Amino acid sequence: MNKHTVTFLPDKVKVTVDAGVTLMTAAAEAGVEFEGPCGGRGVCGKCRMRIREGADQDWVLACQTEVNADLVVEIPQQEIYLSRKTALTQQDMDVEIDPGITRRTIQVQPPSIEHQVSDATRLLEALGEPANLKLGVLRALPGVLREARHLVTVVMHEKDVIAVEPGEHEREPLYGLAVDIGTTTVVGTLVNLTTGKNVAAASAGNTQNIFGADVISRIQHAAKGPKELEQLRRRVVQVINRLGEKLAHAAGIRTSSVYQAAVVCNTTMHHLFLGLDPRHLAPAPFTPVVTDLVTVEAGELGLNLCPHAPVHLLPNVAGYVGADTVGVILSTKLYDVDRRILAVDIGTNGEIVLALPGRMLTCSTAAGPAFEGAQIKCGMRAQAGAIEKVRIDEDQVTYEVIGDEPAKGICGSGLMDAISEMHRVGVIEANGRIVPPEKADHLPEFLRKRIHDRGANAYFVIATPEETGGPEVYLSQKDVRELQLAKGAIRAGIEVLLQKAGISSAELDEILLAGAFGSYIDKRSALGIGLLPAVDPGKIRAVGNAAGAGAMLALLSRRIRREAASIARTCEHMELSTVPEFQEAFIKHLNF
Ligand code: FES
């Protein structure tokens, strides 16, 4: 069979593939990041790539384009989106530093005919305390001892010796890696375990996305067999390894000098990362394989850190409330409040926590990827060219675009602004219908001109072709329905938790918005579309990547890891599919 080489720009990653495979398959084999939320079915339009050399086409859908020549292909970059995710993570932690990792330099007795004991015994004698030596440490020990004339530095996790290094390094900093594996994005933060300082942070797309944008598609792929499960596991391990290398490079250290990791993620990502069968998460009763905190060695997972570095996966609460929610609870201290606080983390799923003195209730709803710009015809992530803010004034529609570029699409915050504004001025009725052009007489001319009919699907133009220099950016009736489903589900989840706790929204002292989306949305638009209950906007506070901050805390403190275990056990989880009030609330809150 003929082979062709595809070079992916901008990183110039090359891959050789059989003729006739799709560009998407080639990109997947090359391990490059790109979007493909519909899993290659050709319907989402998000896998666009640009052919620079080798074929007469220009922009193509990677999942629908065969490789029949050597090609040079450019993948649009997600840098702004990723740098926003990273920026939300850049903060130092306020916690007592007790990571459970220690380092000591010791002088080991050289072997002698008078003292005929093993290398391991002499090391333990010099250490002066009982300890377990890992197999990898034993394998390297004879060489390291002799190379360093028996002056070595021992790195320990609790009672385990996880590394023995030649020479004196006792005063050098220890490093750890906090990882937040999202369904869409993976964020890594390199942390100095001695000072607690955040050294560097970076993000990358979760390359499992070629198997679908949401957790259910990933579970379905994993359910095909062990090979497919391993395929998913490897992809996320590769992403973490790439982030680890990037961060270590930025800090001027080797990845093998990272001695501990803490990971937060939703329950599906948790299972896929560990290679656990996720099949029983999909149907009721949504049973996870494990919910407790799991600690595994980095080498066992294929992570290129110190091979015996402990990797702590924070505990899950339930099938759809994972360690990422535990991370949010940890970093916002919801486990110890004297007020009534609601926390909402909106990503591909929406996780909700209601914290009251001595009590925490949780639930999760399928928010759908609408808020991340997927399943919206002109939707895109928050990257250059995305409309992120929209206002409708008395005589004009204004918007702000990310980066110094004409509008190419609209991201989640722009979508919410646009729909809130369209509803406020009467372009959208309370039931979500876009007013048809022939019934729009009550609207001013500048708005009427923007409403069009495309068959049964009315749409409203946000950015005209004159403004974009290309296709118009619009919201269709179907897009509005997608947002209604997502916001209706989240709002209904909030209402169910409030009902179960026996309090009203007026009694809430604060609403915390976690995650990238929560940090960039306009509070008034969130209230305007009814995503959140009507509260004083001053009570709403964005808390950034609170899940990732939870991973950093767990990395730095054994007490926090114990706290995480207790949080997961004590949360009262509501499975919304079993709560009749949820359906009622959902129907009610579909409307604006
Ligand atoms: S259109 Fe190609 S992945 Fe969706």
mmCIF file with all atom_site columns, all heavy atoms in Angstrom, residues 24 35-47 61-64, ligand 1:
data_model
loop_
_atom_site.group_PDB
_atom_site.id
_atom_site.type_symbol
_atom_site.label_atom_id
_atom_site.label_alt_id
_atom_site.label_comp_id
_atom_site.label_asym_id
_atom_site.label_entity_id
_atom_site.label_seq_id
_atom_site.pdbx_PDB_ins_code
_atom_site.Cartn_x
_atom_site.Cartn_y
_atom_site.Cartn_z
_atom_site.occupancy
_atom_site.B_iso_or_equiv
_atom_site.pdbx_formal_charge
_atom_site.auth_seq_id
_atom_site.auth_comp_id
_atom_site.auth_asym_id
_atom_site.auth_atom_id
_atom_site.pdbx_PDB_model_num
ATOM   1   N  N   . MET A 1 24 ? -7.710  13.284 9.803  1.00 0.00 ? 24 MET A N   1
ATOM   2   C  CA  . MET A 1 24 ? -7.959  13.183 11.242 1.00 0.00 ? 24 MET A CA  1
ATOM   3   C  C   . MET A 1 24 ? -7.181  12.000 11.826 1.00 0.00 ? 24 MET A C   1
ATOM   4   O  O   . MET A 1 24 ? -6.549  12.111 12.877 1.00 0.00 ? 24 MET A O   1
ATOM   5   C  CB  . MET A 1 24 ? -9.454  12.999 11.480 1.00 0.00 ? 24 MET A CB  1
ATOM   6   C  CG  . MET A 1 24 ? -9.847  13.025 12.933 1.00 0.00 ? 24 MET A CG  1
ATOM   7   S  SD  . MET A 1 24 ? -11.631 12.882 13.026 1.00 0.00 ? 24 MET A SD  1
ATOM   8   C  CE  . MET A 1 24 ? -11.925 13.558 14.628 1.00 0.00 ? 24 MET A CE  1
ATOM   9   N  N   . GLU A 1 35 ? -9.343  19.892 17.342 1.00 0.00 ? 35 GLU A N   1
ATOM   10  C  CA  . GLU A 1 35 ? -10.701 19.674 17.829 1.00 0.00 ? 35 GLU A CA  1
ATOM   11  C  C   . GLU A 1 35 ? -11.451 18.724 16.914 1.00 0.00 ? 35 GLU A C   1
ATOM   12  O  O   . GLU A 1 35 ? -11.253 18.747 15.705 1.00 0.00 ? 35 GLU A O   1
ATOM   13  C  CB  . GLU A 1 35 ? -11.457 20.998 17.879 1.00 0.00 ? 35 GLU A CB  1
ATOM   14  C  CG  . GLU A 1 35 ? -10.960 21.918 18.947 1.00 0.00 ? 35 GLU A CG  1
ATOM   15  C  CD  . GLU A 1 35 ? -11.916 23.073 19.137 1.00 0.00 ? 35 GLU A CD  1
ATOM   16  O  OE1 . GLU A 1 35 ? -13.051 22.827 19.570 1.00 0.00 ? 35 GLU A OE1 1
ATOM   17  O  OE2 . GLU A 1 35 ? -11.530 24.198 18.845 1.00 0.00 ? 35 GLU A OE2 1
ATOM   18  N  N   . GLY A 1 36 ? -12.345 17.938 17.496 1.00 0.00 ? 36 GLY A N   1
ATOM   19  C  CA  . GLY A 1 36 ? -13.186 17.053 16.686 1.00 0.00 ? 36 GLY A CA  1
ATOM   20  C  C   . GLY A 1 36 ? -14.328 16.550 17.530 1.00 0.00 ? 36 GLY A C   1
ATOM   21  O  O   . GLY A 1 36 ? -14.488 15.350 17.729 1.00 0.00 ? 36 GLY A O   1
ATOM   22  N  N   . PRO A 1 37 ? -15.129 17.490 18.059 1.00 0.00 ? 37 PRO A N   1
ATOM   23  C  CA  . PRO A 1 37 ? -16.118 17.088 19.050 1.00 0.00 ? 37 PRO A CA  1
ATOM   24  C  C   . PRO A 1 37 ? -17.176 16.108 18.565 1.00 0.00 ? 37 PRO A C   1
ATOM   25  O  O   . PRO A 1 37 ? -17.769 15.413 19.379 1.00 0.00 ? 37 PRO A O   1
ATOM   26  C  CB  . PRO A 1 37 ? -16.757 18.407 19.500 1.00 0.00 ? 37 PRO A CB  1
ATOM   27  C  CG  . PRO A 1 37 ? -16.351 19.429 18.518 1.00 0.00 ? 37 PRO A CG  1
ATOM   28  C  CD  . PRO A 1 37 ? -15.098 18.941 17.861 1.00 0.00 ? 37 PRO A CD  1
ATOM   29  N  N   . CYS A 1 38 ? -17.415 16.009 17.244 1.00 0.00 ? 38 CYS A N   1
ATOM   30  C  CA  . CYS A 1 38 ? -18.438 15.044 16.818 1.00 0.00 ? 38 CYS A CA  1
ATOM   31  C  C   . CYS A 1 38 ? -17.819 13.675 16.570 1.00 0.00 ? 38 CYS A C   1
ATOM   32  O  O   . CYS A 1 38 ? -18.501 12.747 16.130 1.00 0.00 ? 38 CYS A O   1
ATOM   33  C  CB  . CYS A 1 38 ? -19.203 15.540 15.593 1.00 0.00 ? 38 CYS A CB  1
ATOM   34  S  SG  . CYS A 1 38 ? -18.294 15.399 14.051 1.00 0.00 ? 38 CYS A SG  1
ATOM   35  N  N   . GLY A 1 39 ? -16.512 13.551 16.856 1.00 0.00 ? 39 GLY A N   1
ATOM   36  C  CA  . GLY A 1 39 ? -15.873 12.243 16.748 1.00 0.00 ? 39 GLY A CA  1
ATOM   37  C  C   . GLY A 1 39 ? -15.687 11.800 15.308 1.00 0.00 ? 39 GLY A C   1
ATOM   38  O  O   . GLY A 1 39 ? -15.619 10.609 15.030 1.00 0.00 ? 39 GLY A O   1
ATOM   39  N  N   . GLY A 1 40 ? -15.639 12.759 14.366 1.00 0.00 ? 40 GLY A N   1
ATOM   40  C  CA  . GLY A 1 40 ? -15.351 12.402 12.974 1.00 0.00 ? 40 GLY A CA  1
ATOM   41  C  C   . GLY A 1 40 ? -16.582 12.096 12.153 1.00 0.00 ? 40 GLY A C   1
ATOM   42  O  O   . GLY A 1 40 ? -16.481 11.523 11.066 1.00 0.00 ? 40 GLY A O   1
ATOM   43  N  N   . ARG A 1 41 ? -17.752 12.479 12.639 1.00 0.00 ? 41 ARG A N   1
ATOM   44  C  CA  . ARG A 1 41 ? -18.973 12.192 11.872 1.00 0.00 ? 41 ARG A CA  1
ATOM   45  C  C   . ARG A 1 41 ? -19.245 13.257 10.808 1.00 0.00 ? 41 ARG A C   1
ATOM   46  O  O   . ARG A 1 41 ? -20.214 13.165 10.069 1.00 0.00 ? 41 ARG A O   1
ATOM   47  C  CB  . ARG A 1 41 ? -20.175 12.070 12.820 1.00 0.00 ? 41 ARG A CB  1
ATOM   48  C  CG  . ARG A 1 41 ? -20.066 10.878 13.769 1.00 0.00 ? 41 ARG A CG  1
ATOM   49  C  CD  . ARG A 1 41 ? -21.410 10.486 14.353 1.00 0.00 ? 41 ARG A CD  1
ATOM   50  N  NE  . ARG A 1 41 ? -22.074 11.600 14.990 1.00 0.00 ? 41 ARG A NE  1
ATOM   51  C  CZ  . ARG A 1 41 ? -21.832 12.010 16.234 1.00 0.00 ? 41 ARG A CZ  1
ATOM   52  N  NH1 . ARG A 1 41 ? -20.925 11.390 16.961 1.00 0.00 ? 41 ARG A NH1 1
ATOM   53  N  NH2 . ARG A 1 41 ? -22.474 13.031 16.750 1.00 0.00 ? 41 ARG A NH2 1
ATOM   54  N  N   . GLY A 1 42 ? -18.426 14.287 10.765 1.00 0.00 ? 42 GLY A N   1
ATOM   55  C  CA  . GLY A 1 42 ? -18.570 15.296 9.711  1.00 0.00 ? 42 GLY A CA  1
ATOM   56  C  C   . GLY A 1 42 ? -19.670 16.298 9.966  1.00 0.00 ? 42 GLY A C   1
ATOM   57  O  O   . GLY A 1 42 ? -20.089 17.001 9.052  1.00 0.00 ? 42 GLY A O   1
ATOM   58  N  N   . VAL A 1 43 ? -20.156 16.389 11.208 1.00 0.00 ? 43 VAL A N   1
ATOM   59  C  CA  . VAL A 1 43 ? -21.294 17.284 11.449 1.00 0.00 ? 43 VAL A CA  1
ATOM   60  C  C   . VAL A 1 43 ? -20.947 18.531 12.259 1.00 0.00 ? 43 VAL A C   1
ATOM   61  O  O   . VAL A 1 43 ? -21.657 19.526 12.192 1.00 0.00 ? 43 VAL A O   1
ATOM   62  C  CB  . VAL A 1 43 ? -22.465 16.539 12.146 1.00 0.00 ? 43 VAL A CB  1
ATOM   63  C  CG1 . VAL A 1 43 ? -23.068 15.514 11.215 1.00 0.00 ? 43 VAL A CG1 1
ATOM   64  C  CG2 . VAL A 1 43 ? -22.029 15.880 13.443 1.00 0.00 ? 43 VAL A CG2 1
ATOM   65  N  N   . CYS A 1 44 ? -19.859 18.503 13.027 1.00 0.00 ? 44 CYS A N   1
ATOM   66  C  CA  . CYS A 1 44 ? -19.603 19.654 13.905 1.00 0.00 ? 44 CYS A CA  1
ATOM   67  C  C   . CYS A 1 44 ? -18.824 20.764 13.197 1.00 0.00 ? 44 CYS A C   1
ATOM   68  O  O   . CYS A 1 44 ? -18.889 21.923 13.577 1.00 0.00 ? 44 CYS A O   1
ATOM   69  C  CB  . CYS A 1 44 ? -18.858 19.222 15.167 1.00 0.00 ? 44 CYS A CB  1
ATOM   70  S  SG  . CYS A 1 44 ? -17.149 18.747 14.879 1.00 0.00 ? 44 CYS A SG  1
ATOM   71  N  N   . GLY A 1 45 ? -18.083 20.412 12.161 1.00 0.00 ? 45 GLY A N   1
ATOM   72  C  CA  . GLY A 1 45 ? -17.332 21.420 11.410 1.00 0.00 ? 45 GLY A CA  1
ATOM   73  C  C   . GLY A 1 45 ? -16.144 21.997 12.169 1.00 0.00 ? 45 GLY A C   1
ATOM   74  O  O   . GLY A 1 45 ? -15.567 22.999 11.763 1.00 0.00 ? 45 GLY A O   1
ATOM   75  N  N   . LYS A 1 46 ? -15.757 21.371 13.297 1.00 0.00 ? 46 LYS A N   1
ATOM   76  C  CA  . LYS A 1 46 ? -14.704 21.974 14.127 1.00 0.00 ? 46 LYS A CA  1
ATOM   77  C  C   . LYS A 1 46 ? -13.306 21.442 13.818 1.00 0.00 ? 46 LYS A C   1
ATOM   78  O  O   . LYS A 1 46 ? -12.335 21.912 14.386 1.00 0.00 ? 46 LYS A O   1
ATOM   79  C  CB  . LYS A 1 46 ? -14.980 21.712 15.614 1.00 0.00 ? 46 LYS A CB  1
ATOM   80  C  CG  . LYS A 1 46 ? -16.361 22.098 16.073 1.00 0.00 ? 46 LYS A CG  1
ATOM   81  C  CD  . LYS A 1 46 ? -16.516 23.589 16.170 1.00 0.00 ? 46 LYS A CD  1
ATOM   82  C  CE  . LYS A 1 46 ? -17.889 23.918 16.739 1.00 0.00 ? 46 LYS A CE  1
ATOM   83  N  NZ  . LYS A 1 46 ? -18.426 25.164 16.291 1.00 0.00 ? 46 LYS A NZ  1
ATOM   84  N  N   . CYS A 1 47 ? -13.199 20.430 12.940 1.00 0.00 ? 47 CYS A N   1
ATOM   85  C  CA  . CYS A 1 47 ? -11.877 19.835 12.710 1.00 0.00 ? 47 CYS A CA  1
ATOM   86  C  C   . CYS A 1 47 ? -11.204 20.465 11.492 1.00 0.00 ? 47 CYS A C   1
ATOM   87  O  O   . CYS A 1 47 ? -10.415 19.821 10.811 1.00 0.00 ? 47 CYS A O   1
ATOM   88  C  CB  . CYS A 1 47 ? -12.011 18.321 12.538 1.00 0.00 ? 47 CYS A CB  1
ATOM   89  S  SG  . CYS A 1 47 ? -13.021 17.875 11.124 1.00 0.00 ? 47 CYS A SG  1
ATOM   90  N  N   . LEU A 1 61 ? -12.261 19.760 6.156  1.00 0.00 ? 61 LEU A N   1
ATOM   91  C  CA  . LEU A 1 61 ? -12.588 19.062 7.400  1.00 0.00 ? 61 LEU A CA  1
ATOM   92  C  C   . LEU A 1 61 ? -11.670 17.845 7.473  1.00 0.00 ? 61 LEU A C   1
ATOM   93  O  O   . LEU A 1 61 ? -11.690 16.992 6.577  1.00 0.00 ? 61 LEU A O   1
ATOM   94  C  CB  . LEU A 1 61 ? -14.048 18.612 7.413  1.00 0.00 ? 61 LEU A CB  1
ATOM   95  C  CG  . LEU A 1 61 ? -15.112 19.704 7.537  1.00 0.00 ? 61 LEU A CG  1
ATOM   96  C  CD1 . LEU A 1 61 ? -16.506 19.075 7.570  1.00 0.00 ? 61 LEU A CD1 1
ATOM   97  C  CD2 . LEU A 1 61 ? -14.891 20.552 8.783  1.00 0.00 ? 61 LEU A CD2 1
ATOM   98  N  N   . ALA A 1 62 ? -10.884 17.758 8.537  1.00 0.00 ? 62 ALA A N   1
ATOM   99  C  CA  . ALA A 1 62 ? -9.887  16.687 8.625  1.00 0.00 ? 62 ALA A CA  1
ATOM   100 C  C   . ALA A 1 62 ? -10.533 15.310 8.612  1.00 0.00 ? 62 ALA A C   1
ATOM   101 O  O   . ALA A 1 62 ? -9.973  14.358 8.087  1.00 0.00 ? 62 ALA A O   1
ATOM   102 C  CB  . ALA A 1 62 ? -9.057  16.867 9.891  1.00 0.00 ? 62 ALA A CB  1
ATOM   103 N  N   . CYS A 1 63 ? -11.735 15.215 9.183  1.00 0.00 ? 63 CYS A N   1
ATOM   104 C  CA  . CYS A 1 63 ? -12.355 13.888 9.279  1.00 0.00 ? 63 CYS A CA  1
ATOM   105 C  C   . CYS A 1 63 ? -12.954 13.447 7.948  1.00 0.00 ? 63 CYS A C   1
ATOM   106 O  O   . CYS A 1 63 ? -13.329 12.293 7.796  1.00 0.00 ? 63 CYS A O   1
ATOM   107 C  CB  . CYS A 1 63 ? -13.408 13.868 10.384 1.00 0.00 ? 63 CYS A CB  1
ATOM   108 S  SG  . CYS A 1 63 ? -14.843 14.879 10.037 1.00 0.00 ? 63 CYS A SG  1
ATOM   109 N  N   . GLN A 1 64 ? -13.073 14.375 6.988  1.00 0.00 ? 64 GLN A N   1
ATOM   110 C  CA  . GLN A 1 64 ? -13.706 14.038 5.709  1.00 0.00 ? 64 GLN A CA  1
ATOM   111 C  C   . GLN A 1 64 ? -12.707 14.090 4.553  1.00 0.00 ? 64 GLN A C   1
ATOM   112 O  O   . GLN A 1 64 ? -13.099 14.003 3.394  1.00 0.00 ? 64 GLN A O   1
ATOM   113 C  CB  . GLN A 1 64 ? -14.854 15.027 5.422  1.00 0.00 ? 64 GLN A CB  1
ATOM   114 C  CG  . GLN A 1 64 ? -15.895 15.110 6.525  1.00 0.00 ? 64 GLN A CG  1
ATOM   115 C  CD  . GLN A 1 64 ? -16.600 13.792 6.755  1.00 0.00 ? 64 GLN A CD  1
ATOM   116 O  OE1 . GLN A 1 64 ? -17.042 13.143 5.812  1.00 0.00 ? 64 GLN A OE1 1
ATOM   117 N  NE2 . GLN A 1 64 ? -16.673 13.352 8.003  1.00 0.00 ? 64 GLN A NE2 1
HETATM 118 S  S1  . FES B 2 .  ? -16.744 17.554 11.486 1.00 0.00 ? 1  FES B S1  1
HETATM 119 FE FE1 . FES B 2 .  ? -14.854 16.564 11.659 1.00 0.00 ? 1  FES B FE1 1
HETATM 120 S  S2  . FES B 2 .  ? -14.782 16.004 13.737 1.00 0.00 ? 1  FES B S2  1
HETATM 121 FE FE2 . FES B 2 .  ? -16.695 16.952 13.550 1.00 0.00 ? 1  FES B FE2 1
#
